[in-house]
Amino acid sequence: MRCTVRPGGTRVVATTPDGDTRFVAPALAGAPPATYAFDDWNPVDLPGKPGFGGSAAACVAACVAAGRPAADALAIHHQVQGSGSGIDVLASIHGGMGRVAGRRWTPLAPHGPTVVYSGQSARTGPRLQRYLALSDRQRFLDESATLTAAFVDDPIRVTAAAGALLAAMARAAGIAYTTPGLARIAALARDHGGAAKPSGAGGGDCAVAYLPDPAADAAFQAACAAAGLPPIAVAVAPGAAASPVSGQPPVQR
């Protein structure tokens, strides 16, 4: 997300493409009078939302534009949404790739994935409530942490194992995690020597995939596109902490 600040006037005005200012208005409390215009700096032409954490990125951008610490977005976003891990907020703050434990961000060497849209959008909230009611959640957390620690050394194996672990947890919790689109993406990744798993809470949005080499990745993306599952051009970007005020995301003045 990008925030363009147009100084002037006597009050704070926030505008977004869809008119939803829930996540930016609280962050702009106390900001200098101006118009704060939010927009997608790298828009994606899809029939639904891709699930990239846009509200988190907008909230972080609003904090930076208002001159307040970017970390304030953690509490603001959680209060407005009423749930969430905060990982998307931390990713927007720090940029790059990282491992998250609690609210602690540890940078990792970038291993940019291939991202594919599953063909439908999903809502995190209802799935999160079922997850929080899971009785054996600690075992799932421990196994997830073990896999996360091994990710950098073997992203394909870990992605496949994490996808299987998440699917098993979802069955136990009664979460509608896998969709036909997500299952097809995972199957195509396996066919090309790689692995793919849903990103976030599942139920739609995107899958992230890792392939063994550029040729396999190109063939995988072509197969996904042919199946009506569009790959999305993404890049590992700097976060608010790396470029708080510049012509690049998250804030433009």
Side-chain angles (χ1 to χ4, degrees):
M1 296 295 294
R2 173 175 55 197
C3 177
T4 302
V5 182
R6 301 186 181 95
T10 59
R11 60 193 181 98
V12 171
V13 178
T15 65
T16 65
D18 61 1
D20 184 357
T21 61
R22 291 176 301 149
F23 293 94
V24 301
L28 294 173
T35 295
Y36 297 82
F38 296 83
D39 68 300
D40 297 320
W41 69 272
N42 185 24
V44 178
D45 184 15
L46 292 172
K49 73 175 184 67
F52 280 163
S55 63
C59 190
V60 171
C63 285
V64 176
R68 63 194 300 171
D72 285 1
L74 284 164
I76 294 169
H77 191 270
H78 190 276
Q79 181 177 6
V80 174
Q81 183 169 272
S83 63
S85 65
I87 289 177
D88 48 358
V89 177
L90 289 168
S92 296
I93 292 171
H94 295 283
M97 293 188 69
R99 177 180 179 181
V100 177
R103 294 294 177 91
R104 188 176 69 255
W105 176 276
T106 303
L108 298 176
H111 285 63
T114 293
V115 179
V116 182
Y117 183 54
S118 69
Q120 67 184 69
S121 299
R123 293 180 60 199
T124 299
R127 291 173 175 79
L128 179 62
Q129 295 307 312
R130 286 183 176 270
Y131 165 73
L132 292 175
L134 183 66
S135 60
D136 195 18
R137 196 166 76 246
Q138 189 58 50
R139 181 178 65 84
F140 168 74
L141 292 171
D142 293 342
E143 293 180 13
S144 296
T146 299
L147 287 173
T148 302
F151 170 78
V152 171
D153 294 328
D154 196 349
I156 292 177
R157 180 189 68 80
V158 168
T159 296
L165 178 63
L166 283 161
M169 178 277 293
R171 287 193 296 271
I175 298 172
Y177 185 71
T178 301
T179 68
L182 290 169
R184 181 62 174 150
I185 295 168
L188 289 171
R190 289 193 297 271
D191 290 346
H192 291 85
K197 62 174 285 296
S199 172
D205 290 347
C206 288
V208 293
Y210 288 88
L211 284 299
D213 54 60
D217 186 45
F220 164 71
Q221 291 195 45
C224 287
L229 301 162
I232 301 174
V234 299
V236 179
S243 55
V245 181
S246 72
Q248 299 298 318
V251 177
Q252 178 180 1
R253 287 182 186 250

